[in-house]
Amino acid sequence: MLASKYPTVQFLAGDFVISAGSVLFRQTPSCELEICLLESAARNEWVLPKGRKDRSESIENTAVRETLEETGYPCELWPLRMPTRAPTPGDTSGEDVVKIAEKLVEPIAITVRDLRDKGAKIIWWYITRTTGQERIAESQTAYEAYEARFMEPAVAIERLTYQNDREIVQRAWDIVSGSRTLSIGNKV
């Protein structure tokens, strides 16, 4: 039996949990962009919205649902210009190269967290934007106690508690900054 020539870690059903989250953007009345972070006063942490995928739910829907539940802000995946290794539909070249593609709603990062004896947590990260609808009060589950706060991207990056979250927000900001001609919500 042959093994892959690439280092490989494999998790079988029951040995991993799938989660998804997002970097949520909104446009201010002065057309500046802000990023939403969650403050947990009890844990003294600033984090991004994310959570576990429900059975039969798509990963994309998980990211939007969890972002809404934890922040209270109705949102949607934001189609943006970004790098991807995914081929275009029907591409049979087999080419595996990074290309810049328009209007993608692909994950911008994947985090694999070692849960020791519980296996792994795989977190898919997306970029979302508010839809302009009113914030929904009391959208969090009983055990969540977050305060959602919007702030300038540089402040958000500095305020985040964990380095991995900082890198994800920096990547999201780089992608959004390179796609500023695309609209956010109903504004351009």
Side-chain angles (χ1 to χ4, degrees):
M1 177 83 49
L2 293 177
S4 174
K5 63 181 178 180
Y6 301 106
T8 303
V9 177
Q10 180 170 288
F11 299 98
L12 302 176
D15 293 335
F16 63 91
V17 62
I18 298 173
S19 295
S22 80
V23 179
L24 176 61
F25 286 85
R26 79 169 175 192
Q27 192 168 13
T28 67
S30 62
C31 295
E32 297 297 319
L33 290 177
E34 294 178 322
I35 293 173
C36 187
L37 299 185
L38 299 174
E39 179 184 19
S40 171
R43 293 190 308 228
N44 193 29
E45 291 179 339
W46 289 87
V47 297
L48 294 169
K50 70 175 178 312
R52 293 169 50 145
K53 178 180 129 10
D54 290 343
R55 294 176 190 170
S56 301
E57 181 180 38
S58 74
I59 296 170
E60 295 85 355
N61 285 346
T62 302
V64 171
R65 177 185 54 77
E66 285 290 342
T67 301
L68 167 62
E69 285 179 4
E70 293 189 351
T71 68
Y73 290 96
C75 62
E76 63 190 2
L77 296 176
W78 191 0
L80 292 165
R81 183 174 169 262
M82 68 176 75
T84 183
R85 288 171 56 177
T88 57
D91 181 354
T92 58
S93 70
E95 209 176 32
D96 184 8
V97 296
V98 177
K99 294 184 180 178
I100 303 299
E102 301 291 331
K103 299 182 180 179
L104 288 183
V105 291
E106 305 271 329
I108 62 162
I110 297 171
T111 302
V112 179
R113 189 169 293 154
D114 183 355
L115 301 177
R116 295 182 185 90
D117 60 338
K118 290 186 176 183
K121 182 178 195 175
I122 303 165
I123 309 164
W124 299 70
W125 295 101
Y126 292 85
I127 298 174
T128 54
R129 61 184 174 185
T130 58
T131 61
Q133 295 171 291
E134 293 293 319
R135 184 173 187 274
I136 299 170
E138 300 178 25
S139 61
Q140 296 178 12
T141 59
Y143 63 88
E144 295 171 326
Y146 297 116
E147 186 68 36
R149 300 187 192 279
F150 278 95
M151 57 197 74
E152 295 175 6
V155 173
I157 292 166
E158 183 64 31
R159 189 158 296 167
L160 281 160
T161 302
Y162 300 104
Q163 182 61 34
N164 287 347
D165 287 352
R166 290 178 178 188
E167 292 168 8
I168 290 163
V169 170
Q170 183 64 61
R171 173 60 77 146
W173 180 235
D174 291 345
I175 290 169
V176 168
S177 296
S179 300
R180 289 299 296 266
T181 58
L182 298 175
S183 65
I184 182 166
N186 294 327
K187 299 179 180 181
V188 176

